[in-house]
Amino acid sequence: MPPRKRIFREDILKAAVQLVQEEGTAALSVRNIARTLNCSTQPIYSEFENMETLREELMAYIREHCLREDAGSYKQVALSFLHFAQREKNLFQLVYLRHRNEGETLFEDPNEMQTIHKLEVNLELPRQKAAEMHRRMQYYSYSMAVMMATGYLNFSEEEISTELTEYYRIILSYYKQIKTEEELQHWLERSRNLLV
């Protein structure tokens, strides 16, 4: 009777996450994951063809388990991303601060399609405009997140909230062609409660 399998694919991915959290992206190797699991490298190589395959699946695992968010407001989408950068600096650097191949997506946002759909419906925008607006908000949030994850700037909760609100007011006014404060308040309220 063959020995029962002791280390599963998810165990390896969890160990890899833990390793990066504790020791940084440079520590990510099969040998170090095996050390974290207190096993040989054999169970890892039996699950993953090579380190590149493991790394690709690890990125997907982090996006799914650490970044997926069903936010009730548009601001919450950005706040979740920024809190991840602030709280999980090493994981953020692994996923977002790396060289990308041509054609590879920049943000790898697991919430993107759902968020764009909510903007489209709640702000009564054509899909293309909602996607463009969201992309610009991503650019802004991404730059803040990089500064936070690399220690360049440390934003307080109040500063994060103010920055997001001010920038959002600007792009919302542009995409909705808002002319009055009353109109702006109406669409801000619609953004606070993204329902779909």
Side-chain angles (χ1 to χ4, degrees):
M1 183 170 169
R4 225 171 66 189
K5 186 174 177 180
R6 185 175 78 83
I7 296 174
F8 297 93
R9 199 172 194 86
E10 184 151 353
D11 298 325
I12 296 165
L13 294 169
K14 283 181 180 176
V17 166
Q18 180 187 340
L19 178 67
V20 172
Q21 286 173 316
E22 294 172 0
E23 299 181 33
T25 58
L28 189 59
S29 70
V30 171
R31 182 165 301 205
N32 287 338
I33 295 169
R35 176 179 46 85
T36 302
L37 287 167
N38 198 24
C39 70
S40 71
T41 59
Q42 188 277 326
I44 298 166
Y45 282 119
S46 70
E47 288 292 336
F48 298 94
E49 185 180 330
N50 53 40
M51 189 62 202
E52 187 178 321
T53 307
L54 192 154
R55 186 180 284 265
E56 285 172 14
E57 196 160 324
L58 177 61
M59 299 289 193
Y61 182 86
I62 292 168
R63 285 190 296 272
E64 188 61 34
H65 291 87
C66 303
L67 288 165
R68 183 161 303 279
E69 172 90 22
D70 186 19
S73 74
Y74 190 52
K75 189 174 190 177
Q76 188 57 48
V77 173
L79 284 172
S80 296
F81 179 70
L82 293 172
H83 288 151
F84 174 74
Q86 195 171 47
R87 184 183 65 249
E88 296 290 355
K89 290 176 174 44
N90 290 335
L91 292 180
F92 179 88
Q93 290 177 27
L94 176 70
V95 176
Y96 294 102
L97 300 183
R98 61 187 173 78
H99 176 75
R100 288 186 173 54
N101 298 318
E102 191 175 325
E104 192 176 355
T105 184
L106 175 63
F107 294 108
E108 301 158 340
D109 177 4
N111 307 301
E112 185 171 42
M113 297 315 293
Q114 179 186 23
T115 302
I116 290 169
H117 179 67
K118 285 182 176 184
L119 286 174
E120 182 184 9
V121 170
N122 288 271
L123 298 180
E124 299 172 13
L125 287 169
R127 183 163 194 78
Q128 181 183 346
K129 288 275 188 203
E132 189 179 303
M133 180 179 162
H134 182 58
R135 188 177 67 249
R136 289 200 171 156
M137 197 69 197
Q138 283 179 315
Y139 293 159
Y140 190 75
S141 298
Y142 184 80
S143 64
M144 284 180 68
V146 168
M147 288 187 277
M148 292 162 69
T150 58
Y152 182 73
L153 282 177
N154 292 311
F155 293 97
S156 68
E157 278 300 307
E158 186 179 329
E159 288 170 324
I160 292 169
S161 181
T162 300
E163 286 292 325
L164 290 175
T165 299
E166 288 305 310
Y167 187 71
Y168 183 67
R169 288 172 65 100
I170 293 166
I171 64 170
L172 179 62
S173 295
Y174 174 77
Y175 281 97
K176 289 300 295 178
Q177 296 296 295
I178 293 171
K179 307 235 182 316
T180 67
E181 184 63 27
E182 183 182 356
E183 194 180 357
L184 177 60
Q185 289 307 316
H186 168 76
W187 292 111
L188 284 172
E189 190 58 38
R190 293 283 298 263
S191 303
R192 285 186 192 105
N193 299 297
L194 293 181
L195 307 170
V196 174

